[in-house]
Every structure is written in structure tokens, then in C-alpha cells.
Amino acid sequence: MNDFFIRTIVAIKKNLQSYLNEKFKELNLSSSEIFIMHLLYIEKSLSQSKLAHILECDKSHVNRITTKLIDKNLICYTEIQNQNDRHLRNNGLKLTDTGLNLAKKIAVEIKNSINMLNSGITKQEEEITKRVLFKMLDNSYSIKQNGEIKNV
């Protein structure tokens, strides 16, 4: 049963990434770039450090992705920044006007993909799934922090 959860969660993630990669292939955007743009669309401004925390990935990965998005003129720093600042990852990032227009399309596609994922699932099943996944997420944080589950 445990293998089933891991395989299923990984498969859902990969299928969603493939779907989004295909949808935005002509724009030359990866799923990582799409998710970062979507987060900036929702939150308006986030630092690379905060993006890394939200996405549960390392800061160097986020730095590579945000650098690509800056080069594509889709995101920029919230203020004029000293490019030599060794703490550049702590400065806020936001969507450019071009990025905002694209992020609106991304938001629609993400909403569509979530609606398709939820197809045929009742509200009761959705609530049960949320509760189970939140418990698993909390357990994963505990394992990450403590190497074990506390207070079971």
C-alpha cells in the first residue's frame, strides 16, 4: 500500500508537468518556470528563498529558473538591485507586464488541469483525499525535521 501512494503521487506530478510542458511548449517554458510564474501571479512578489521554500526545492534550482525567466523578460526584481549583492536571492521578484499577461493564461490552464484531475471525484472523496494528503504532508515534514514521526 505504501508504494502505491508514492508511485501515485509521483505519477500525478509527472503527468501534470508533462501536460503543462506540452501546453506551453511553443512559449519555451518548462513546468518549473510555469509554477514559479504562477506563484508570483498569486503572491505578487516573492524572493528566491521564499520560492525555494514553497516549492520544496534547493535555492540553486530556483536561482537557475528565475535567471531564465529574467532573461526572457517575464519576471524582474521588485526594485533596482545591486547585481553584486551576494544575497540577491533575498530580493523580491515580480512579474513583468509581459509575464503578467502570460501568467493569466497559465492560471487558466492550471485551473483547467485541476478540474480535469478532479473529474469524477465527489466532494466527499475530495475532502477525504485532502485530509489524508495533509496528514501525509505533516508526517513528511516531521520525518524531514526529526527523522521520525512525533506524537502519533
Side-chain angles (χ1 to χ4, degrees):
M1 183 71 155
N2 292 338
D3 267 359
F4 170 79
F5 280 114
I6 292 170
R7 284 194 319 257
T8 303
I9 290 167
V10 168
I12 291 168
K13 177 184 179 262
K14 286 185 177 225
N15 289 335
L16 181 58
Q17 284 178 319
S18 292
Y19 171 79
L20 292 173
N21 284 340
E22 185 62 31
K23 280 290 183 181
F24 294 100
K25 179 171 57 176
E26 73 279 355
L27 299 172
N28 196 28
L29 288 177
S30 70
S31 57
S32 294
E33 291 169 315
I34 290 166
F35 291 132
I36 285 177
M37 289 184 64
H38 188 63
L39 285 171
L40 290 173
Y41 178 70
I42 293 167
E43 299 292 332
K44 307 301 180 227
S45 175
L46 291 169
S47 68
Q48 288 182 17
S49 296
K50 185 67 174 171
L51 285 166
H53 176 75
I54 292 169
L55 294 170
E56 297 279 341
C57 62
D58 60 271
K59 292 174 188 170
S60 61
H61 175 71
V62 170
N63 181 270
R64 285 190 300 275
I65 300 303
T66 57
T67 298
K68 288 178 185 177
L69 290 169
I70 289 169
D71 291 345
K72 293 176 182 181
N73 193 35
L74 297 173
I75 67 171
C76 63
Y77 290 102
T78 54
E79 309 168 355
I80 305 237
Q81 303 292 336
N82 176 357
Q83 294 298 318
N84 295 323
D85 182 354
R86 56 178 241 182
H87 300 291
L88 198 58
R89 73 172 75 80
N90 295 321
N91 295 326
L93 293 162
K94 66 178 183 175
L95 295 165
T96 62
D97 290 340
T98 304
L100 181 59
N101 289 331
L102 184 54
K104 289 176 184 177
K105 294 176 186 173
I106 289 170
V108 168
E109 256 341 296
I110 288 176
K111 183 177 180 180
N112 288 341
S113 65
I114 290 170
N115 287 338
M116 288 187 285
L117 277 175
N118 289 333
S119 180
I121 297 173
T122 67
K123 285 290 182 194
Q124 182 182 15
E125 290 170 328
E126 186 178 331
E127 288 304 315
I128 292 168
T129 302
K130 282 181 186 176
R131 284 196 309 271
V132 170
L133 288 174
F134 278 128
K135 284 181 185 179
M136 291 175 77
L137 182 62
D138 284 345
N139 288 345
S140 73
Y141 288 139
S142 184
I143 292 167
K144 181 179 174 182
Q145 294 294 322
N146 308 311
E148 62 185 2
I149 304 299
K150 300 281 183 180
N151 301 324
V152 177

